[in-house]
Amino acid sequence: MLNVRDVTCARGGMPVLSGVSFAVPAGHALILRGPNGIGKTTLLRTLAGLQPAISGEVTYPEDQGAYASHADGIKTALTVTENLTFWAEVHGTKLPDTIFDTFDLADLRDRMAGTLSAGQKRRLGLARLGVIGRKVLFLDEPTVSLDGFSVRLFADWLQNTHLAAGGVAVIATHVDLGITARVLELEPFKAAPDAGGGPDEAFL
């Protein structure tokens, strides 16, 4: 499903990781580990096609990738239901009614997203992943702002719904999600200090 071969990626024109290679078959997840600043976010953005790789190859089914960062990606002037309906319509999918129970949003359906707590906003942001219909997920610290109960909700959806249906996930996290996943330590791929520069892109 996802194949990464000899990828070198850069942040702000400076290579951070070099020679990254791995494969993730359908129904499996990969956890990226490494100290702060090693390049986990940069690698995820590169894999998702949000910034160019200096070299290497990334392949997965066309139009099946989705990147979720620290930002919740919600519209505060819309209700919880309207937010999820918006994302379903953008991606041409149907909004599954079960998504509200899955992410503990049933009692918040008609609440304005701007009035939610940080954890509730995060659950709403993650619930988007359950409506967009993308098979390959690139997740950057997905459980930020979540309590233990909400982490388990997300992990259960990831393991028993997304992966069980043949999806793939690559996750940068320091939290033990309790899912079955291979771990890839990024320290061995750290680029040499004198490595040549890459594209000087804006990093958002």
Side-chain angles (χ1 to χ4, degrees):
M1 176 76 75
L2 170 64
N3 289 284
V4 178
R5 187 175 65 182
D6 202 26
V7 164
T8 296
C9 54
R11 175 171 179 164
M14 297 297 295
V16 291
L17 295 170
S18 178
V20 180
S21 296
F22 60 83
V24 187
H28 290 74
L30 179 73
I31 304 292
L32 302 179
R33 289 277 166 78
N36 292 337
I38 191 69
K40 296 185 293 294
T41 295
T42 299
L43 178 59
L44 286 173
R45 286 171 53 87
T46 302
L47 299 180
L50 299 179
Q51 65 183 70
I54 295 177
S55 62
E57 183 179 39
V58 180
T59 58
Y60 51 87
E62 186 176 3
D63 295 328
Q64 285 300 308
Y67 172 75
S69 68
H70 301 169
D72 296 317
I74 62 176
K75 296 181 179 295
T76 57
L78 299 181
T79 66
V80 167
T81 299
E82 288 170 340
N83 265 278
L84 294 178
T85 300
F86 168 80
W87 284 107
E89 290 177 349
V90 165
H91 290 273
T93 63
K94 292 184 178 180
L95 177 61
D97 194 61
T98 55
I99 203 71
F100 296 96
D101 287 328
T102 298
F103 288 91
D104 195 24
L105 297 170
D107 293 336
L108 303 172
R109 288 173 182 250
D110 299 321
R111 281 272 298 274
M112 302 300 292
T115 69
L116 301 177
S117 70
Q120 290 169 337
K121 289 177 180 176
R122 192 60 178 168
R123 293 205 310 273
L124 174 55
L126 291 173
R128 291 178 304 153
L129 302 175
V131 305
I132 62 176
R134 296 296 178 93
K135 286 288 189 180
V136 184
L137 301 181
F138 303 102
L139 308 177
D140 193 358
E141 297 291 350
T143 58
V144 169
S145 300
L146 294 185
D147 58 20
F149 172 75
S150 297
V151 170
R152 290 191 294 274
L153 283 179
F154 169 70
D156 181 68
W157 171 81
L158 187 64
Q159 181 82 70
N160 298 317
T161 300
H162 179 69
L163 298 179
V168 160
V170 181
I171 312 162
T173 181
H174 296 285
V175 175
D176 182 3
L177 297 176
I179 65 173
T180 302
R182 186 164 63 93
V183 174
L184 180 66
E185 294 287 348
L186 294 181
E187 187 71 31
F189 301 103
K190 186 175 181 179
D194 58 349
D200 190 16
E201 83 290 344
F203 190 88
L204 303 177

